Amino acid sequence: MAPPQGKKKSLGRRKIDMKLIADENARTVTFSKRRAGLFKKATELSVLCGTQIALIIFSLGGRAYSFGHPDVESIIGRFFNRVPIPTPQESGHAMRIRAAMLHEIKGQLDEKSEELNTKKKRGKEIEAALESSSYQTTEERLDRLNFHQLQKLKEKLEKLREQIHRLVNAPPVNADDAVEPPNSTNAAGPAGTGELDLANVGRNEVGASPVPPDWLKL
Amino acid sequence: MAPPQGKKKSLGRRKIDMKLIADENARTVTFSKRRAGLFKKATELSVLCGTQIALIIFSLGGRAYSFGHPDVESIIGRFFNRVPIPTPQESGHAMRIRAAMLHEIKGQLDEKSEELNTKKKRGKEIEAALESSSYQTTEERLDRLNFHQLQKLKEKLEKLREQIHRLVNAPPVNADDAVEPPNSTNAAGPAGTGELDLANVGRNEVGASPVPPDWLKL
DNA sequence: GGCCCTATCTATAAAAG
DNA sequence: TCTTTTATAGATAGGGC
């Protein structure tokens, strides 16, 4: 930030407002420069510190530019589920099973939700009763009762969580899709879609597997 | 480039090799600074040019930091939904995204479960204490306290249930809209353990088909 | 105390209008 | 391109858990 003076052939870098650049031409130029700068910085950070980074930018024209170390997909996968290894490609069959799982889980959730609602309501009633109650002994008994009910409810919810955990981390059933090789570090630039496939759900095919896999058991 | 006078308190910015910084301490400091710089630049680019950007960084310690304009999810969704494979019936990309979201949900569940465990443990301790307690007043107070905590926990779990419900019933995420209203920008910040915005999970903004795909019908 | 992260300061390297 | 504005290396201190 030294303010040297003398003869200027150019005005040099000027300060600009931090708002959308009105002139489209200037905006495009700025976009190009800053995008390059951003990718460079991202690259440097990943190199200097060896950290995982994902950067995706859509240009004004709709083109996508991406950078990822080690690759965009794994970062996103980790971001969403905090698991370093992204799930591999899965077949429609596997997806169908997943769909069934989802169905199952949702049912469980609805059930539990119902239970929760009931408990909650009762809890509120009791609370209200307690408010107006003048007998410590009664208040105490009711309070205790609800406490134990809630204990049970907690346990149920824990089981549900465990089930979902198993679903989400379920191993692929089989793979009948051709898969493209995973990238290593992506270069910045117009990006092709990374063929990530995180635990895909769905796609109906006929012919169910006769036996639910172990991890499906609830 | 003005050579400062006499005594220097610092050598100023030095040039460094573009390779992994050996000293862990220095690496951490550099990471912090550069990460901040990167987020700033990303923000500026999105503001100046109005472009869509997503940036995810994992710290050395495993914490996640993210920035997205308009938000990380939509950028990722758009990234994976981009043309490449105009899949027939169900877009694998859409499923991918949903799957990623599922993983996110699972993470949330894990967190809640953690909470449950804590509460449960505390509950048991308190119970034990109550058993051996001879003072009704103390017993009562502790019991009440836990009861209220559990009430709150129930509410949180209900919200989570709703998110999952919406996610599971969400219409396909296929439409790749060209234009969209500028949204608010996510602030960069620790996104690791439990920073993800629950409110946005399972949200489905783009062209929704009124009917959920068969494989997802629950 | 240890770990991990952030803040401050100065002088200089690098970005960007 | 060329100058000005910014980012940040290096050193150190502070903060939260």
Side-chain angles (χ1 to χ4, degrees), chain A residues 5 12 23 31 37 42 68 88 125 133 143 155 160 171 175 180 182 188-190 206 218:
Chain A
Q5 280 309 318
D23 181 51
F31 175 74
E125 285 167 8
S133 171
D143 211 356
E155 285 171 9
L160 177 62
E180 43 186 285
V206 209
L218 298 174

Side-chain angles (χ1 to χ4, degrees), chain B residues 27-106:
Chain B
R27 200 193 307 158
T28 301
V29 173
T30 292
F31 173 77
S32 255
K33 290 195 206 172
R34 281 181 174 261
R35 175 174 51 68
L38 199 52
F39 276 116
K40 187 181 178 194
K41 287 211 171 272
T43 305
E44 291 182 348
L45 182 53
S46 72
V47 170
L48 290 173
C49 305
T51 52
Q52 300 190 328
I53 302 178
L55 175 59
I56 299 174
I57 304 179
F58 282 95
S59 76
L60 303 167
R63 222 173 318 212
Y65 299 82
S66 70
F67 164 80
H69 176 78
D71 57 82
V72 178
E73 287 78 14
S74 63
I75 305 295
I76 290 173
R78 188 177 170 192
F79 182 69
F80 284 123
N81 264 329
R82 222 140 29 74
V83 288
I85 306 172
T87 321
Q89 303 176 352
E90 243 297 313
S91 157
H93 305 295
M95 292 188 280
R96 221 168 277 142
I97 300 310
R98 207 192 310 285
M101 296 247 180
L102 228 198
H103 279 267
E104 186 178 344
I105 290 288
K106 182 243 171 203

Side-chain angles (χ1 to χ4, degrees), chain A:
Chain A
M1 282 62 158
Q5 280 309 318
K7 189 186 196 158
K8 304 174 196 176
K9 285 188 180 178
S10 112
L11 293 174
R13 179 177 176 175
R14 318 300 307 281
K15 199 165 190 169
I16 61 170
D17 285 349
M18 272 307 299
K19 62 177 187 184
L20 186 70
I21 296 172
D23 181 51
E24 278 198 35
N25 239 328
R27 200 194 305 160
T28 301
V29 173
T30 291
F31 175 74
S32 276
K33 283 190 177 186
R34 280 180 175 263
R35 172 171 53 71
L38 199 51
F39 276 116
K40 187 182 178 191
K41 295 261 180 210
T43 305
E44 290 182 349
L45 182 52
S46 72
V47 170
L48 290 173
C49 304
T51 51
Q52 299 191 317
I53 302 178
L55 174 60
I56 299 174
I57 303 179
F58 281 95
S59 73
L60 303 167
R63 271 220 297 246
Y65 298 82
S66 70
F67 165 81
H69 175 79
D71 59 81
V72 179
E73 291 77 14
S74 61
I75 306 297
I76 291 174
R78 187 177 172 194
F79 181 69
F80 280 125
N81 58 224
R82 315 203 307 286
V83 169
I85 304 171
T87 30
Q89 292 270 347
E90 283 182 29
S91 69
H93 182 237
M95 291 189 283
R96 196 192 53 69
I97 292 177
R98 292 274 176 144
M101 286 294 296
L102 257 186
H103 181 105
E104 200 61 37
I105 290 294
K106 185 191 174 287
Q108 299 283 327
L109 279 169
D110 282 338
E111 237 175 74
K112 298 303 173 188
S113 172
E114 201 67 33
E115 249 182 289
L116 275 169
N117 268 324
T118 305
K119 300 288 184 186
K120 192 177 174 185
K121 240 176 234 169
R122 197 183 304 173
K124 275 184 180 171
E125 285 167 8
I126 293 175
E127 248 189 329
L130 288 176
E131 291 301 328
S132 58
S133 171
S134 51
Y135 292 100
Q136 287 293 333
T137 51
T138 300
E139 181 176 346
E140 189 187 315
R141 201 181 313 132
L142 289 172
D143 211 356
R144 178 86 57 84
L145 176 65
N146 228 267
F147 176 71
H148 286 126
Q149 287 174 339
L150 288 170
Q151 288 281 11
K152 282 198 171 184
L153 184 59
K154 283 192 296 183
E155 285 171 9
K156 285 182 184 175
L157 282 163
E158 280 198 303
K159 281 182 185 171
L160 177 62
R161 205 241 8 130
E162 187 56 37
Q163 287 158 6
I164 292 185
H165 179 90
R166 262 181 286 162
L167 162 71
V168 170
N169 286 320
V173 173
N174 78 38
D176 47 28
D177 288 350
V179 190
E180 43 186 285
N183 306 340
S184 53
T185 301
N186 292 337
T193 301
E195 255 326 300
L196 156 78
D197 204 316
L198 281 172
N200 290 331
V201 194
R203 172 170 295 182
N204 260 324
E205 278 179 12
V206 209
S209 74
V211 181
D214 235 45
W215 48 268
L216 202 158
K217 291 208 176 112
L218 298 174

Side-chain angles (χ1 to χ4, degrees), chain B residues 156-186:
Chain B
K156 283 184 186 174
L157 282 162
E158 279 199 303
K159 279 184 186 171
L160 181 60
R161 212 264 333 158
E162 264 180 52
Q163 304 292 345
I164 294 183
H165 182 89
R166 259 183 285 165
L167 166 71
V168 169
N169 285 318
V173 212
N174 48 16
D176 199 359
D177 52 332
V179 189
E180 51 188 62
N183 243 346
S184 59
T185 296
N186 289 343

